[in-house]
Amino acid sequence: MVAVIGRSGAGKSTLLHVMNGSTPATGGQILYHGYKSHGHEGNGRDILCSNARQWRQWRSEYGMIFQDFCLVPRLDVLTNVLLGRLNHTSTVKFFFKIFSDEDRTRAITLLQWLGLLPQALQRAENLSGGQMQRVAICRALMQNPQLLLADEPVASLDPKNTQRIMEVLRQISENGITVMINLHSIELVRQYCTRAIGIAQGEILFDGPPDRLDESLLRRLYGDEMETLH
Ligand SMILES: Nc1ncnc2c1ncn2[C@@H]1O[C@H](COP(=O)(O)OP(=O)(O)O)[C@@H](O)[C@H]1O
Ligand SMILES: [Mg+2]
């Protein structure tokens, strides 16, 4: 479970948007399974060099959740979750809401896992924030991603729902899915994450276990924003 931390404007969201292709990169590489460590050359690929087919493939390998959940408010919960299969469903089928039984079963299993089965046929707009984020997590998991990208997923939740969502994300990471999460709370980073990457002005200032984040490093990462940290 990897936290990306840094003051606002550091580029945390931009990093995720470059990774998911919604913001074009002007340079650099995104090495997938290509991380060089322990003296081994990674043998992964550079996402930025993908052709159209490889981008589609990449899109099915990550799921994404956001601070404001990004559900379709007037659609019911189940359909919102099924939208996670959009990459694999033709537009016509989607228009008529034709999903396979397999997809429906998976959606229902996910909703059940997160305690949302009673809400399955309710409109998304009638849920609480914590429930909405759980629906968004189900949607992100629909395509069996290997990577879950989360942009400040608990920033608009109360403490109780924050803990619940963080617990769910931890469980997901323990099931073998890498969770990469932009977080503003250092306490949550220490409590849940196994690796933290601190960025400032486009540079990596820190990459290591969260318990090595000391006061002077946090000061360099956050500057005058330190006072707003918790
Ligand atoms: N490495 C970068 N290259 C280009 N623009 C960047 C970079 N880092 C940040 N920015 C710009 O800075 C602004 C804030 O970035 P953002 O990703 O929203 O920050 P954060 O999510 O950390 O608050 C955005 O307008 C973004 O385009
Ligand atoms: Mg951001």
Side-chain angles (χ1 to χ4, degrees), residues 16-221:
L16 291 193
H17 290 147
V18 170
M19 288 175 74
N20 76 11
S22 63
T23 295
T26 50
Q29 294 175 305
I30 300 174
L31 296 177
Y32 183 56
H33 286 181
Y35 185 61
K36 290 177 193 163
S37 63
H38 310 298
H40 293 292
E41 284 282 312
N43 59 355
R45 62 181 199 267
D46 182 1
I47 303 297
L48 294 180
C49 296
S50 298
N51 58 31
R53 188 187 58 77
Q54 287 163 328
W55 267 114
R56 272 199 305 280
Q57 166 70 24
W58 166 236
R59 290 220 168 86
S60 69
E61 289 177 60
Y62 69 79
M64 192 152 182
I65 58 171
F66 307 89
Q67 173 176 350
D68 51 1
F69 324 122
C70 293
L71 302 178
V72 185
R74 302 178 78 81
L75 287 179
D76 62 64
V77 163
L78 181 61
T79 309
N80 267 283
V81 175
L82 286 163
L83 283 177
R85 287 296 286 174
L86 203 48
N87 279 343
H88 303 263
T89 310
S90 79
T91 320
V92 176
K93 276 189 175 169
F94 176 73
F95 188 75
F96 291 103
K97 298 207 179 75
I98 303 171
F99 297 100
S100 71
D101 286 348
E102 196 188 338
D103 285 351
R104 285 173 187 280
T105 308
R106 177 159 173 78
I108 286 167
T109 308
L110 286 166
L111 285 170
Q112 190 165 22
W113 176 53
L114 290 187
L116 287 164
L117 214 43
Q119 285 79 28
L121 299 179
Q122 280 182 28
R123 281 190 186 189
E125 63 192 351
N126 295 330
L127 302 182
S128 72
Q131 288 173 325
M132 286 190 196
Q133 193 60 294
R134 280 182 279 144
V135 174
I137 290 173
C138 292
R139 179 183 58 189
L141 294 181
M142 267 307 280
Q143 53 194 358
N144 272 318
Q146 307 196 352
L147 181 65
L148 182 63
L149 305 175
D151 196 3
E152 310 241 13
V154 293
S156 50
L157 299 181
D158 60 42
K160 191 163 152 274
N161 279 302
T162 292
Q163 295 294 335
R164 173 138 198 208
I165 293 297
M166 291 303 295
E167 286 294 342
V168 169
L169 294 177
R170 167 149 59 196
Q171 245 177 301
I172 290 168
S173 78
E174 284 171 359
N175 287 337
I177 296 171
T178 302
V179 178
M180 187 167 159
I181 178 171
N182 292 348
L183 276 178
H184 201 72
S185 156
I186 289 299
E187 197 181 310
L188 290 178
V189 174
R190 292 204 173 106
Q191 197 179 346
Y192 289 99
C193 298
T194 52
R195 176 179 169 194
I197 298 173
I199 58 176
Q201 290 161 349
E203 302 281 334
I204 296 175
L205 286 192
F206 176 86
D207 184 353
D211 57 13
R212 289 226 312 267
L213 283 167
D214 58 25
E215 189 73 15
S216 78
L217 221 128
L218 291 175
R219 230 161 244 299
R220 281 172 62 211
L221 277 171

Side-chain angles (χ1 to χ4, degrees), residues 7-14 202:
R7 58 179 304 152
S8 36
K12 303 180 295 296
S13 299
T14 304

